[in-house]
Amino acid sequence: MSKYIFTSESVTEGHPDKVCDQISDAILDELIKQDPDTHAGIECLATTGLVVVAGEVRTKGYADIAGLVRKTIKEIGYDNSSNGFSGDDCGVIVALDEQSPDIAQGVDKGKGKFKEQGAGDQGLMFGYACRETKELMPLPLMLAHKMAKRLAQVRKNGTLKYLRPDGKTEVAVEYNNGKPTRIDTVVVAAQHNENVSEAKVAKDIIKYVVKPIGGKYLDAKTRYFINATGKFIKGGPPADAGLTGRKIIVDTYGGHGSHGGGCFSGKDPSKVDRSASYMARYIAKNIVAAGLADKCEVQLAYVIGRAEPVSVLVQTFGTGKLPNERLEKIVRQYFPLKPAGIIKHLKLQRPIYKQTAAYGHFGRTETGFTWEKTDLAAKLRKYLK
């Protein structure tokens, strides 16, 4: 299409689902810090006055689960009862069990049918990259993430003291001939206290959140919808129960590209839902950074207990400088695709996961996001000659 609009959304760290993601990854980080070989699948539910932590763990480490839950909730901003939810007085139920031995034998080296470390589950994972932003990410999602993060910043630094932790953003970008040209619509839902008018919230959000991020993409025709229901006082888990892993499109590419369906948070890197998704992004980003394509999607697929991927697919949507089949062979040559190789190459047995649990797992520059490096792009550029 020569002209179209594409929309992506993000949520703040105080959104109920993101509260749960951060709790799951905070627990994972604590265990991996003590035992890098920790295997975990940690799920969380948050609702009115209650957090439930469940799942499976095998580790030599120890974590004060209730203490980590309360600490994480308070760091997000739910630190007093006036916000409707507080880390100090919510109940915490822990129902963690040991990892199934049937799964463990497929992951442990030297056990099971295959002697190499196998994938922790079957599944398909995708990675994506494009030239729309300096992060090589889709523009609508990056704008939505930055506005969501800005909501938290102006709340925490006191610029907008009346804001509370919960919030969502949505950005619709107009494309012409495949290139983003302007922001058509911005939607923001920002939780606030009862002592501020709707008009002031709308004016302040546009001034302090939307315009600093939207910049040159905003114009006289851009539409703004700020707290479209009229007010947003009750928020967080009491308003909408949260669950780990329910924001998988926010976590990845905002609806651009494909998604295999598995979430990331709470899962150690033996789970290819997480580690292979990170590798697929790393591959796609390096291909685009090398100039081999302007847009790239990589699919990896695995069977539980087996190290070699079932399939490797590279799709460049007609922008590739080489045939997709040739790129697939290059990927197999330069990138480790077995779980043990992925974990080693991306240094995934470290406590780096809590920071990934809000504002996206991709397009980030903070320390620890090894899958965002383009360190293999130089080697791939030789194929342009």
Side-chain angles (χ1 to χ4, degrees):
M1 296 184 292
S2 61
K3 186 176 180 179
Y4 62 91
I5 293 174
F6 194 95
T7 303
S8 294
E9 71 164 351
S10 184
V11 297
T12 66
E13 62 209 60
H15 185 280
D17 294 331
K18 280 291 146 200
V19 170
C20 292
D21 285 344
Q22 290 166 90
I23 289 171
S24 292
D25 276 337
I27 297 168
L28 177 65
D29 276 353
E30 180 60 31
L31 295 174
I32 284 183
K33 182 168 62 176
Q34 299 174 49
D35 177 10
D37 291 321
T38 290
H39 290 171
I42 302 168
E43 311 290 348
C44 180
L45 160 71
T47 187
T48 305
L50 179 65
V51 172
V52 179
V53 178
E56 299 78 41
V57 174
R58 183 171 55 130
T59 184
K60 296 177 182 176
Y62 168 78
D64 174 9
I65 304 294
L68 285 169
V69 169
R70 298 184 189 284
K71 181 175 183 286
T72 302
I73 291 170
K74 289 192 286 186
E75 286 175 348
I76 291 168
Y78 293 109
D79 53 5
N80 63 77
S81 298
S82 66
N83 286 336
F85 189 74
S86 172
D88 286 323
D89 54 24
C90 67
V92 179
I93 296 175
V94 180
L96 290 171
D97 201 355
E98 188 175 1
Q99 182 187 39
S100 164
D102 300 334
I103 295 174
Q105 68 178 352
V107 176
D108 292 344
K109 185 177 179 180
K111 297 182 180 180
K113 290 184 177 181
F114 305 97
K115 300 310 176 186
E116 291 182 274
Q117 178 180 341
D121 201 353
Q122 70 176 52
L124 49 145
M125 300 84 206
F126 289 91
Y128 181 84
C130 62
R131 292 198 176 279
E132 293 180 16
T133 65
K134 62 181 175 59
E135 299 91 352
L136 302 185
M137 287 284 286
L139 179 64
L141 179 64
M142 292 309 297
L143 291 172
H145 277 327
K146 290 177 180 180
M147 288 182 191
K149 195 167 187 177
R150 181 80 175 167
L151 271 177
Q153 288 171 343
V154 297
R155 168 176 61 87
K156 291 180 176 180
N157 66 23
T159 301
L160 302 181
K161 295 181 179 180
Y162 56 78
L163 288 183
R164 288 176 172 172
D166 200 356
K168 300 179 75 171
T169 60
E170 183 176 292
V171 180
V173 172
E174 183 178 296
Y175 286 73
N176 283 287
N177 297 316
K179 296 185 181 297
T181 56
R182 59 179 293 272
I183 295 175
D184 180 80
T185 307
V186 176
V187 181
V188 178
Q191 186 190 11
H192 58 86
N193 67 32
E194 63 276 7
N195 300 319
V196 62
S197 69
E198 298 169 23
K200 179 171 176 54
V201 172
K203 181 180 178 181
D204 285 349
I205 294 298
I206 292 172
K207 179 179 178 179
Y208 293 106
V209 176
V210 176
K211 289 188 174 180
I213 301 301
K216 66 179 182 179
Y217 292 104
L218 299 168
D219 60 27
K221 294 183 179 180
T222 299
R223 298 180 299 166
Y224 303 94
F225 295 94
I226 313 299
N227 286 357
T229 62
K231 63 180 180 179
F232 187 3
I233 296 172
K234 185 176 181 178
D240 184 13
L243 290 170
T244 297
R246 201 160 57 176
K247 286 292 177 283
I248 57 176
I249 301 303
V250 171
D251 283 344
T252 53
Y253 306 102
H256 275 93
S258 307
H259 198 293
C263 77
F264 306 149
S265 289
K267 296 177 181 177
D268 75 274
S270 73
K271 306 287 195 301
V272 284
D273 274 338
R274 183 165 220 160
S275 54
S277 294
Y278 290 173
M279 177 52 72
R281 161 64 176 172
Y282 179 64
I283 295 168
K285 188 174 184 181
N286 274 272
I287 287 174
V288 172
L292 294 176
D294 293 330
K295 185 187 298 186
C296 181
E297 181 177 88
V298 174
Q299 186 200 53
L300 304 175
Y302 293 85
V303 59
I304 188 169
R306 190 172 185 271
E308 286 284 354
V310 172
S311 63
V312 178
L313 174 67
V314 178
Q315 171 62 262
T316 57
F317 308 96
T319 71
K321 304 301 188 291
L322 298 173
N324 290 336
E325 295 83 357
R326 177 65 174 137
L327 288 172
E328 289 168 18
K329 291 180 180 179
I330 292 170
V331 167
R332 288 183 180 272
Q333 180 181 352
Y334 284 93
F335 295 89
L337 302 178
K338 296 179 180 180
I342 293 172
I343 291 168
K344 181 179 179 181
H345 189 85
L346 296 181
K347 300 179 175 66
L348 297 180
Q349 287 184 310
R350 297 179 295 148
I352 57 173
Y353 296 109
K354 184 183 174 185
Q355 63 180 339
T356 70
Y359 311 115
H361 291 247
F362 308 120
R364 305 281 291 273
T365 59
E366 299 95 317
T367 301
F369 289 77
T370 51
W371 50 93
E372 290 299 309
K373 292 183 177 181
T374 54
D375 50 345
L376 290 183
K379 291 182 178 181
L380 300 182
R381 286 192 190 102
K382 68 181 182 182
Y383 293 98
L384 288 172
K385 300 178 182 179

